[in-house]
Structures are given as C-alpha cells and as structure tokens.
Amino acid sequence: MFGRRSKFGYPELVTPRLRLRLLAPDQAELMLAFRQNNRVFLKPWEPLRTEVYYSKPYWESQLLLLMHGTQPSLHATKSFR
C-alpha cells in the first residue's frame, strides 16, 4: 500500500479498491471533469469560483505548480459565500 510511486515519482496509495495519487499537468482533463461534474453538488461548500476555474488551462497550470512543489494559486476564487 505505501511506498509505491507514480510514473512521475509522486507517492501513491494503492488498495484493492483505490488508487490515490497526484495528477500530472497532462492529466488536467481528469481534474476538470471532476470539477465540472461536481460543480452543482459542491456549490454550498465551495467559495465562489470564476469561470477560469472550470478551464483546462487553469488546471494544467495548477497541477504544474503542484508538480514543482509550489503552492497553487486561488486567483479563480472570488470570495466565500
């Protein structure tokens, strides 16, 4: 379960029913799909988001920052409700 690494060298947790890992920038469409598919459901708990937040270039840049150990930005967040 522990000690595994993804193809990008990130740690990943693997069980018979789950694989948990960080996404790479070229996988931004997966995060974008998750965010778009859950937008309405998560709305009561999320801060207000700009449309930029729901774009592939935004998630490519955020995942690139994570890949290099840099804190992602929240520039696509307007404010809390």
Side-chain angles (χ1 to χ4, degrees):
M1 182 162 121
F2 296 103
R4 291 190 59 168
R5 297 268 174 192
S6 72
K7 68 180 182 177
F8 301 101
Y10 299 137
E12 61 179 27
L13 301 174
V14 179
T15 71
R17 295 179 38 189
L18 172 75
R19 172 184 255 169
L20 182 62
R21 61 188 166 95
L22 293 174
L23 296 176
D26 65 350
Q27 297 173 306
E29 68 279 351
L30 295 173
M31 180 58 103
L32 178 59
F34 171 81
R35 286 302 189 173
Q36 288 174 334
N37 292 338
N38 291 284
R39 186 176 188 171
V40 173
F41 175 76
L42 294 173
K43 189 175 182 177
W45 302 282
E46 294 267 17
L48 295 174
R49 306 283 188 190
T50 65
E51 288 304 310
V52 170
Y53 185 82
Y54 298 98
S55 69
K56 187 176 177 182
Y58 175 80
W59 285 107
E60 288 171 336
S61 68
Q62 295 305 291
L63 294 171
L64 185 62
L65 290 171
L66 282 171
M67 187 172 158
H68 294 292
T70 307
Q71 182 68 28
S73 85
L74 295 175
H75 75 275
T77 300
K78 290 181 182 177
S79 66
F80 286 95
R81 297 184 191 280

